[in-house]
Amino acid sequence: MARKVRHQLFLPKPVSDRLEALAAKPGATKSAILTDAVTAWLNRRGASELEERFSVRLDRMTQAIGRVDRDTHVILETLALFIRFELSIQTPLAPNDQAGRALAAKRFEAFVTQVGRQVSTGRRTLAAGPGDDA
């Protein structure tokens, strides 16, 4: 059993009256009630200190995630507008233009391969300088 230390404290009359009423119930003691109350207060204080310690870091992470989310929306909107623009200026292929369709398929395959290569190597096209092959 833990060693107990005696404390003398002063409580306002209304708080003292409530403590007396609680301690009058069977199985309750002033010491047990005060021990539980002080323990709960200290635990809340410890949680508050942890919250204070980590809140700045969590706020920074929340802001960073917000920026990533915003950037992702900008990129998707840019891609959608580019695709819409390209589709609006390209003339459709004639149904019997097999050479045009073969060239389009070849270009698309090259595009998909390039995207796969860029993603797998971690290189970023936007980070490349002028004249660099991305």
Side-chain angles (χ1 to χ4, degrees), residues 4-5 8-10 12 17 23 32 35 44 47-48 52 63 82 86 88 93 96 105 114 118-120 123 125 128 133:
K4 295 183 179 183
V5 178
Q8 182 177 354
L9 54 108
F10 297 94
D17 291 343
T35 298
R44 277 195 316 273
S48 176
E52 289 173 14
Q63 290 170 353
F82 177 75
E86 281 297 310
S88 69
L93 293 174
N96 58 355
Q114 181 65 22
Q118 292 287 111
V119 170
S120 68
R123 291 189 322 190
T125 301
D133 284 341

Side-chain angles (χ1 to χ4, degrees), residues 56-66:
V56 172
R57 189 173 201 177
L58 289 173
D59 288 344
R60 282 188 204 138
M61 291 172 68
T62 300
Q63 290 170 353
I65 290 170

Side-chain angles (χ1 to χ4, degrees), residues 4 13 34 39 43 46 48 62 65 70 76 81 99 104 114 117 129:
K4 295 183 179 183
K13 179 77 171 127
L34 290 174
T39 300
N43 288 342
S48 176
T62 300
I65 290 170
R70 181 200 64 219
L76 288 175
L81 288 173
Q114 181 65 22
R117 190 176 311 122

Side-chain angles (χ1 to χ4, degrees), residues 28-101:
T29 64
K30 290 179 190 177
S31 291
I33 294 167
L34 290 174
T35 298
D36 290 345
V38 170
T39 300
W41 185 86
L42 290 173
N43 288 342
R44 277 195 316 273
R45 183 69 181 158
S48 176
E49 289 173 9
L50 280 176
E51 184 177 322
E52 289 173 14
R53 182 177 293 166
F54 291 110
S55 67
V56 172
R57 189 173 201 177
L58 289 173
D59 288 344
R60 282 188 204 138
M61 291 172 68
T62 300
Q63 290 170 353
I65 290 170
R67 285 190 300 272
V68 168
D69 189 44
R70 181 200 64 219
D71 291 351
T72 302
H73 287 307
V74 169
I75 291 167
L76 288 175
E77 187 63 24
T78 302
L79 178 62
L81 288 173
F82 177 75
I83 291 169
R84 181 183 293 166
F85 173 76
E86 281 297 310
L87 290 175
S88 69
I89 64 168
Q90 296 296 327
T91 56
L93 293 174
N96 58 355
D97 186 0
Q98 298 306 322
R101 292 185 189 287

